[in-house]
Amino acid sequence: MSAEFGRRSSGGQGRISQWLRGRRRPSTSDAADDTSREELLLAAAGAGLPLAPAAHPSGYRCSCDRVGCPTPARHPVSFAWQTQSTTDRAQIERWARHQPQANFITATGMVHDVLDVPLDAGREALERLLASGIEVGPVAESGGDRMLFFTATRGTPEDEDEWWPCELDCHPETMDEHPGLRWHCRGSYVLVPPAQLPGDLSVTWVRGPEHPLPDPLTLLEILTDECGRYAGAQPEHLAWPLRG
């Protein structure tokens, strides 16, 4: 679906890319930025990424009523987020307009997976991938410390035996236990840009959703190599075992 979106929306690609290059920091109090937010969400859905509303910052806390929320502004607002996630344009427009402060998550393992790496390792990997001529799909920076590489999923509902649960890697609420490479697949989610986080942090596109989703295995070698370099550069008490 992503490739089809890219072919039929070349004019839209240019507008999205230009906006990404020249945008200011999003602000939900600014009507122009609200429009840009909605356009980016619809572009993500048009590329096949299923979306659902998520919490948002409330000062330095989360908008949810959970005391000591472990993932402030990073989680869906509904426990039914997997069935709620959709690419339906009208539904996403309603959510975006009725919940102007809400972040959005995209459910992984249905259409796409996400390879989630430390920011410094991700930047080095992205440079190497592009220099090598390897096709790279959408890429986002998240929270000032992570980079998200969006890829095609390794399984589909028609190919159930090829699916595996995200718990084999990590779960959204235990991500801090896995500071290296995280593979978000079935049962997981990530924030989709544009999103705001406590502490004036954000989630933004580096490469927009107009780029077709690649097979994750084409990126994995370079990503794990750069993650290994990153781990080796950390103080011993921060080093982590490489996960593939």
Side-chain angles (χ1 to χ4, degrees):
M1 184 180 298
S2 176
E4 293 175 0
F5 172 77
R7 286 194 297 270
R8 68 171 179 264
S9 304
S10 57
Q13 280 188 45
R15 288 193 296 273
I16 292 170
S17 297
Q18 288 171 14
W19 188 87
L20 284 168
R21 288 194 296 269
R23 74 189 186 283
R24 294 174 301 150
R25 187 179 183 85
S27 169
T28 53
S29 63
D30 184 353
D33 285 340
D34 279 347
T35 300
S36 298
R37 166 181 175 262
E38 186 174 311
E39 287 176 350
L40 282 178
L41 292 171
L42 291 173
L49 311 185
L51 307 183
H56 60 84
S58 179
Y60 283 87
R61 300 170 59 186
C62 185
S63 61
C64 74
D65 57 4
R66 184 175 179 181
V67 177
C69 175
T71 54
R74 294 178 181 267
H75 61 84
V77 294
S78 171
F79 289 115
W81 57 270
Q82 292 189 73
T83 55
Q84 185 185 51
S85 297
T86 183
T87 58
D88 181 75
R89 182 183 182 91
Q91 179 60 67
I92 292 166
E93 287 177 338
R94 285 193 292 271
W95 281 334
R97 293 171 188 179
H98 295 163
Q99 304 177 51
Q101 292 183 296
N103 289 331
F104 280 76
I105 59 97
T106 177
T108 55
M110 291 188 284
V111 173
H112 70 294
D113 292 348
V114 171
L115 298 174
D116 174 352
V117 300
L119 181 60
D120 289 343
R123 286 175 172 170
E124 292 293 330
L126 179 58
E127 185 174 335
R128 285 180 58 188
L129 288 163
L130 294 175
S132 299
I134 297 173
E135 290 194 12
V136 181
V139 179
E141 290 189 4
S142 179
D145 62 348
R146 305 292 298 185
M147 183 169 274
L148 310 177
F149 289 78
F150 289 71
T151 72
T153 189
R154 291 292 292 166
T156 67
E158 295 78 24
D159 192 14
E160 185 70 21
D161 290 342
E162 291 296 318
W163 285 47
W164 62 85
C166 186
E167 281 76 5
L168 290 180
D169 181 70
C170 68
H171 186 271
E173 291 199 0
T174 62
M175 287 194 301
D176 287 345
E177 300 172 16
H178 305 282
L181 172 66
R182 308 164 184 164
W183 190 324
H184 296 273
C185 47
R186 190 180 190 183
S188 189
Y189 54 81
V190 297
L191 286 176
V192 66
Q196 298 298 307
L197 299 172
D200 203 31
L201 300 174
S202 62
V203 183
T204 57
W205 287 118
V206 176
R207 287 167 54 86
E210 70 271 20
H211 294 281
L213 297 169
D215 188 306
L217 298 185
T218 64
L219 312 183
L220 198 57
E221 181 178 357
I222 289 179
L223 285 174
T224 53
D225 184 38
E226 289 301 333
C227 283
R229 293 176 188 271
Y230 173 84
Q234 301 306 301
E236 186 174 349
H237 71 284
L238 295 179
W240 38 267
L242 189 63
R243 301 173 63 85

